[in-house]
Amino acid sequence: MSLRTTLIRASAVLAAALFVATARPRRPRRARPVARPGSRAGETGAARWAVQPSSAKGPTGRNYFIYDLAPGSTLTDHVGITNLGDRPVTFDVYGTDAYTSTDGAFALLPADRPATDVGSWIRVDRREWTIPAGKRVDIPFRLTVPANATPGDHTGGVIGAVARVRTTADGQRVLVDQRLAARVYLRVNGPVRPAVTVEAVDVSYANPVNPFAGGDLVVRYRLRNDGNVRLGGSATVTVRAPFGREQARTSPTDLPELLPGATFTVTERITGVPPLLRLTAEVDIAATSTDTALPPVVRTAGVWAAPWLLLALLAGAAGWAGLRWWRRKAAAAGRLSTPDPAPGQQDPADTPRPAATASAASGAAAGPTPGVDARPDAPPAR
């Protein structure tokens, strides 16, 4: 078998194996992200309370404070705080800013960080409010939008906090500040600019020993809200083999609420992906604002996924075929190096060698033949 034939057959076997591996795209198995629900009721020791949007006459059924105001506007609203415990409790009531945490949750600034956005635009008549047991107080506050406020969404919360002194296991006394808040979503009138970008895509692949079992492909990408309004939406990851053949596609993943300027990292793990030399992950973001859907944002990144076992078998077959070819070539070269005999001349290899007969041996033992000199260089007898 020639080297060319062997390589062609080995390549055909590898191509057939890759085709079988790509013939049936697999659906990924992954755990769906679990959203962390917000709460507006809390408990600290003997204190239990709730915070909700309200009015001068009581709760209005709103879940959040949602406003659409022009720069320079002022309004008055109420936050209702209910003491669900059996003793009076003193609450700290104030406004603060919100941000998107690293895990995608809605979060408020710590108590020791001053607000610089919508939280600083909220004013309460006084900071501390003592509420009797089992009672609700509807506390008024004023929201004043600065004349130079930028258009778009400004997000924060009105907080009802309880500070309690706790004793730790080692006997130390610490001040614990626990807070509940009603969210504030303010949109300042003016041009809105919804925008989201995929800042980075990182793809890694755990190459399996058995290429037919498939390996784990991990896709990690970071999103940034570059616009001036909050965004949501969904994201999908598609894995493609060479020539664009689809291998896997994740189910749409719901994105958390991304406030303006927020970043969020998503990690997708897709199992059972065969090693097909080069794998490409395509991240497709379908973002939406409260008003409209944004154009899709797509970004791709690739990773090498060589089927090492198949390549080792192919290399072994190629080496074996090359060795056989070299040996045949060396043998043929040896035959060609032996010269042919001249015309009319007998090949020395074909000249019969004289046989040592028993009679010659016995003659040598009896003595020389009469008339013949036993010396090989003696002249002929006369």
Side-chain angles (χ1 to χ4, degrees):
M1 182 185 297
S2 66
L3 175 61
R4 180 180 179 184
T5 303
T6 303
L7 293 178
I8 291 175
R9 290 184 178 180
S11 300
V13 172
L14 177 61
L18 293 178
F19 178 78
V20 170
T22 61
R24 297 179 64 183
R26 303 186 183 187
R27 289 290 178 183
R29 301 185 300 272
R30 64 174 179 82
R32 292 186 60 84
V34 179
R36 187 174 66 181
S39 174
R40 292 187 312 244
E43 181 174 353
T44 302
R48 295 184 298 114
W49 73 102
V51 179
Q52 64 188 126
S54 189
S55 68
K57 297 180 180 180
T60 59
R62 295 176 293 172
N63 293 322
Y64 312 119
F65 295 109
I66 302 177
Y67 307 117
D68 193 344
L69 301 174
S73 301
T74 300
L75 63 79
T76 300
D77 209 335
H78 295 74
V79 59
I81 299 181
T82 304
N83 182 358
L84 302 175
D86 56 1
R87 65 187 65 181
V89 177
T90 299
F91 297 91
D92 285 341
V93 182
Y94 59 95
T96 191
D97 298 335
Y99 65 96
T100 302
S101 65
T102 56
D103 62 353
F106 182 94
L108 298 171
L109 292 179
D112 58 352
R113 286 186 57 184
T116 59
D117 197 61
V118 66
S120 64
W121 305 343
I122 295 172
R123 291 287 184 268
V124 185
D125 289 342
R126 64 178 187 269
R127 176 98 175 195
E128 294 184 351
W129 293 77
T130 300
I131 301 176
K135 299 296 183 180
R136 185 194 74 248
V137 174
D138 299 313
I139 301 172
F141 65 88
R142 289 183 305 279
L143 173 60
T144 301
V145 182
N148 60 349
T150 59
D153 289 342
H154 301 261
T155 310
V158 180
I159 289 179
V162 176
R164 292 276 180 173
V165 177
R166 294 287 187 88
T167 303
T168 62
D170 56 359
Q172 295 184 356
R173 293 171 61 83
V174 296
L175 181 63
V176 179
D177 183 35
Q178 293 193 343
R179 310 181 301 169
L180 293 176
R183 300 185 187 185
V184 176
Y185 291 109
L186 167 65
R187 174 164 294 186
V188 177
N189 296 345
V192 296
R193 184 177 49 84
V196 63
T197 58
V198 182
E199 289 190 333
V201 179
D202 179 70
V203 184
S204 61
Y205 182 70
N207 210 316
V209 177
N210 180 8
F212 298 101
D216 290 355
L217 184 79
V218 178
V219 182
R220 183 177 292 104
Y221 56 95
R222 184 172 67 249
L223 303 176
R224 177 179 292 276
N225 183 350
D226 285 331
N228 61 357
V229 294
R230 52 194 172 102
L231 299 175
S234 62
T236 304
V237 175
T238 304
V239 180
R240 300 188 184 277
F243 309 107
R245 185 179 182 88
E246 181 178 318
Q247 287 303 298
R249 180 186 294 268
T250 64
S251 301
T253 300
D254 292 335
L255 299 177
E257 182 181 56
L258 292 179
L259 302 181
T263 61
F264 179 66
T265 300
V266 182
T267 301
E268 295 278 9
R269 180 180 296 273
I270 305 169
T271 61
V273 180
L276 302 174
L277 297 179
R278 184 71 175 175
L279 297 173
T280 301
E282 180 182 278
V283 179
D284 189 350
I285 307 298
T288 59
S289 68
T290 56
D291 303 319
T292 183
L294 279 66
V297 177
V298 179
R299 184 163 177 179
T300 61
V303 64
W304 290 106
W308 295 118
L309 180 60
L310 294 178
L311 292 180
L313 293 176
L314 178 60
W320 175 78
L323 180 61
R324 289 193 59 188
W325 173 81
W326 179 82
R327 286 180 175 177
R328 290 183 178 181
K329 184 177 180 180
R335 288 195 301 269
L336 293 175
S337 64
T338 303
D340 294 334
Q345 182 180 359
Q346 188 176 9
D347 190 341
D350 298 335
T351 303
R353 301 178 63 181
T357 60
S359 59
S362 60
T369 304
V372 178
D373 192 341
R375 295 173 300 172
D377 56 348
R382 293 185 184 274

